[in-house]
Amino acid sequence: MGATRYVLGSAILGLFWSSLLKGVLTNSTSRCDYPPCSCDHYGRLTCDCKEEGEELILTTEGDRRLSPHTSRIMVSNCSSVILANSSLASMVGLRSVDLINVANLTLVRQSFELSSHSTRTRISVRNSSIDVMPSFVFRGDIEAITFENVRIGQLSAFSFANLIHTDTLRLENCRVETTEAQAFKKFDVGYLHVIGGSFGDQLPSRTMNDIEVYHKFMLDGVRMGIVRSNAFIMKSPRTVAIQNCAIESLESEAFDITARGAVIIKNNTFGSIGVGAFLGIRADREIRSPPQSSSSSSSSSSSSSSSSSSSSSLVHGLIFKNNSVSSFEEGSLMFDRASFRPEIDNLLIAQACDCQMLPVWKNNVLNYTSVYSRFYVRQNSLVPPPLSQPQEPINETPETFLCLDGGLDGVPTSFVDYETRHCSLGGSMLVLILIIVGAVLALLASVCLIVWCCRRRRRNNRKKWISVPTNAPDVVSKKNGVIGREAATSGTPVDSRITMVVPDGRLYRETEFHVIVEKAEPLTTEL
């Protein structure tokens, strides 16, 4: 009896502690008890609004408040979701927030404010629409922020700010209609990737301002209208990649980036490029080799050679490849030659090829000494312009510059091919034409010579009958064996074409033919 009572008491006590633990984790008066949300014993809050049409409010107030023991929040398929101010600040163990397929997501100031004790939280918003992204939405230790296929009506100033220990900030296929200045303001991040999507008609100055990127900054496949001066101000990325983008207009000094590694600009389509649009991309001053003065270089050849070798080792590569530009001028495509070795290849000038403009376009890209000096002195008033020293020329190949052959809808062709076919005669073409002309002249001379020889031969071989001897009668008659000239005294004209040639005045019948036949046979007599 005592044992039975002990077992029954233990079971009741176990049920009590189980219900108590569940109440602590899920907070029975919290959001977990109301549809369309539910919680499990691990503190994971899941809200699926497929069958619910009401507005979902995530807040720390009221009967449907969020539990401070929540470890994960997943909201999906809702028509409207409101994330209230500081609604996540009390969740010490929060690890991730996922908002998926939300037709209208409303965020307010510090909606994503995290507890000062929480670490490495991940925030993800996918396939959703946000009318206004307010200022100071984020605050706290956020490991990663991902916005994927999100429409943002207005990206306000300081929308992305106050980030601590953030490893990745990724915007993929996001459509931003309006962007205010300083939308990304003063934070550190490992990777800053903007992939696909668009940023409206213009990107104002200081859109990304005072951002330190430790590893890689990348713009990939982004459509932008007018990019104002100093739109991107950041420092320290090891890699800068601007690729597959369509930019309507780049103003002067659009990028202000101090890089610690290579810069890759490829497969982009630019409408117009202002003077010095890329000149603000330069090496980090902490590792950048200082320009060498002419006096020090002339003082000792050994020191100059050692400094030049160290300088060349610190110069990074800059690849400008497979890009298209419609309008530019002298200095539009100039780069910091003290920081990078530019490699330009397959630059398409999206204009109809013109023999007079080809050298102008090439000169605007390769030769910009005066413009470069002016910009460099303005940016570095205490440092002499590096072009006072000899610079390595940019390598040029037959495929470096391209234009459109046949109008704006024409086929891209290299400057070299177009000049050869339309602007000037190349060496091989000139030789071929000379060979053809020489062959035609030789043929004409041969024909003329043959005609002249034939006519001369025909004239020389024409037969003329004459009497032999010259006093032979025109008409020969025979009387009693004597040849006489009967027509000599007659007044009748004689046709010389029927004159008979009589050798030595004798008749043919008086001519004798002697035929001698000799026959030789082998000897049969034995010796």
Side-chain angles (χ1 to χ4, degrees):
M1 184 68 180
T4 304
R5 184 177 300 176
Y6 175 76
V7 172
L8 183 60
S10 299
I12 294 174
L13 184 61
L15 291 175
F16 171 77
W17 282 110
S18 176
S19 61
L20 180 62
L21 180 61
K22 182 178 180 180
V24 170
L25 290 176
T26 61
N27 197 351
S28 59
T29 60
S30 69
R31 179 76 258 183
C32 300
D33 296 330
Y34 296 90
C37 300
S38 62
C39 299
D40 59 13
H41 295 289
Y42 299 98
R44 292 178 294 195
L45 172 66
T46 303
C47 302
D48 192 345
C49 307
K50 288 188 296 184
E51 299 179 357
E52 298 289 336
E54 65 180 67
E55 185 177 63
L56 178 63
I57 301 177
L58 301 178
T59 180
T60 56
E61 300 177 354
D63 295 337
R64 303 185 181 186
R65 60 182 177 271
L66 296 174
S67 171
H69 305 286
T70 303
S71 62
R72 179 180 178 182
I73 298 176
M74 176 177 287
V75 178
S76 60
N77 305 316
C78 295
S79 59
S80 178
V81 175
I82 299 176
L83 186 58
N85 178 22
S86 302
S87 56
L88 310 178
S90 61
M91 302 177 184
V92 178
L94 184 63
R95 291 293 176 264
S96 66
V97 178
D98 296 298
L99 305 175
I100 305 172
N101 296 330
V102 178
N104 185 16
L105 176 60
T106 302
L107 301 176
V108 296
R109 186 184 181 96
Q110 297 180 353
S111 286
F112 290 110
E113 180 185 5
L114 304 181
S115 171
S116 58
H117 301 287
S118 64
T119 58
R120 316 306 292 167
T121 303
R122 305 178 68 90
I123 297 176
S124 174
V125 181
R126 292 183 172 88
N127 303 326
S128 302
S129 178
I130 303 174
D131 290 334
V132 178
M133 188 82 169
S135 303
F136 302 106
V137 179
F138 303 93
R139 184 176 182 180
D141 189 351
I142 304 176
E143 179 182 8
I145 299 175
T146 301
F147 278 58
E148 182 178 343
N149 195 24
V150 177
R151 184 198 70 86
I152 302 176
Q154 176 179 324
L155 191 61
S156 304
F158 307 102
S159 291
F160 292 89
N162 297 329
L163 302 180
I164 302 175
H165 302 152
T166 302
D167 180 70
T168 303
L169 173 56
R170 180 185 180 95
L171 305 180
E172 184 173 356
N173 295 326
C174 294
R175 302 175 303 279
V176 181
E177 297 174 359
T178 304
T179 305
E180 294 184 356
Q182 305 192 88
F184 302 79
K185 172 65 174 178
K186 198 175 178 58
F187 59 85
D188 302 342
V189 65
Y191 298 88
L192 176 53
H193 293 175
V194 182
I195 303 173
S198 61
F199 273 89
D201 296 334
Q202 71 170 349
L203 214 59
S205 297
R206 302 181 182 274
T207 296
M208 295 187 180
N209 186 25
D210 197 11
I211 300 174
E212 184 168 359
V213 181
Y214 296 120
H215 298 291
K216 185 175 183 179
F217 167 65
M218 180 172 67
L219 297 175
D220 188 357
V222 185
R223 297 187 306 274
M224 291 176 277
I226 302 174
V227 180
R228 300 295 184 185
S229 299
N230 296 315
F232 299 92
I233 302 177
M234 58 186 63
K235 57 184 177 181
S236 301
R238 293 186 180 274
T239 303
V240 176
I242 304 172
Q243 57 193 28
N244 306 312
C245 295
I247 302 176
E248 181 180 338
S249 176
L250 271 180
E251 289 190 351
S252 178
E253 300 177 275
F255 298 92
D256 186 357
I257 302 175
T258 56
R260 293 186 295 163
V263 176
I264 302 172
I265 305 174
K266 65 178 183 179
N267 303 329
N268 300 290
T269 301
F270 301 105
S272 63
I273 301 180
V275 178
F278 301 101
L279 188 59
I281 303 177
R282 56 194 179 276
D284 196 326
R285 293 184 181 276
E286 296 181 359
I287 62 173
R288 179 177 176 178
S289 58
Q292 182 182 0
S293 62
S294 58
S295 60
S296 62
S297 61
S298 60
S299 61
S300 62
S301 59
S302 59
S303 61
S304 64
S305 60
S306 61
S307 61
S308 62
S309 62
S310 61
S311 173
S312 61
S313 63
L314 293 175
V315 173
H316 305 297
L318 188 149
I319 299 176
F320 195 87
K321 183 177 182 180
N322 295 334
N323 295 293
S324 171
V325 56
S326 298
S327 176
F328 69 105
E329 54 186 312
E330 181 183 359
S332 294
L333 298 178
M334 61 180 174
F335 308 97
D336 189 350
R337 302 291 295 278
S339 303
F340 302 102
R341 294 185 305 272
E343 299 177 14
I344 300 178
D345 193 18
N346 287 344
L347 173 60
L348 173 62
I349 310 301
Q351 298 184 29
C353 296
D354 188 336
C355 294
Q356 296 181 352
M357 293 303 297
L358 295 185
V360 176
W361 292 335
K362 185 182 298 186
N363 181 75
N364 289 343
V365 175
L366 299 179
N367 302 318
Y368 43 78
T369 304
S370 59
V371 181
Y372 185 90
S373 301
R374 185 175 70 251
F375 270 81
Y376 195 90
V377 169
R378 188 175 66 184
Q379 294 179 357
N380 307 272
S381 57
L382 300 179
V383 183
L387 282 183
S388 60
Q389 308 170 20
Q391 297 288 327
E392 295 183 4
I394 298 176
N395 293 330
E396 180 185 355
T397 66
E399 299 299 326
T400 298
F401 298 98
L402 307 172
C403 59
L404 297 177
D405 187 5
L408 296 179
D409 297 329
V411 179
T413 183
S414 67
F415 281 17
V416 176
D417 292 342
Y418 188 83
E419 286 177 337
T420 301
R421 290 186 286 108
H422 299 281
C423 302
S424 61
L425 294 176
S428 59
M429 182 65 69
L430 182 60
V431 171
L432 179 61
I433 292 178
L434 291 177
I435 292 176
I436 294 175
V437 172
V440 172
L441 293 177
L443 181 61
L444 291 176
S446 301
V447 171
C448 294
L449 182 61
I450 293 174
V451 171
W452 181 79
C453 292
C454 291
R455 295 184 64 181
R456 180 180 177 84
R457 182 177 180 182
R458 182 179 179 183
R459 185 172 57 251
N460 293 338
N461 293 340
R462 181 179 298 171
K463 295 182 179 181
K464 183 177 181 181
W465 296 95
I466 61 174
S467 298
V468 180
T470 56
N471 57 356
D474 292 333
V475 178
V476 179
S477 63
K478 176 178 177 292
K479 288 184 178 181
N480 300 323
V482 179
I483 299 174
R485 187 189 296 264
E486 296 179 353
T489 58
S490 63
T492 304
V494 179
D495 191 353
S496 63
R497 290 178 299 174
I498 60 175
T499 301
M500 179 179 292
V501 178
V502 181
D504 298 332
R506 294 184 298 175
L507 298 177
Y508 282 112
R509 67 182 181 86
E510 296 178 349
T511 303
E512 296 179 356
F513 293 92
H514 299 273
V515 179
I516 300 175
V517 179
E518 295 181 357
K519 182 178 181 181
E521 295 180 355
L523 296 176
T524 58
T525 306
E526 295 181 359
L527 298 178

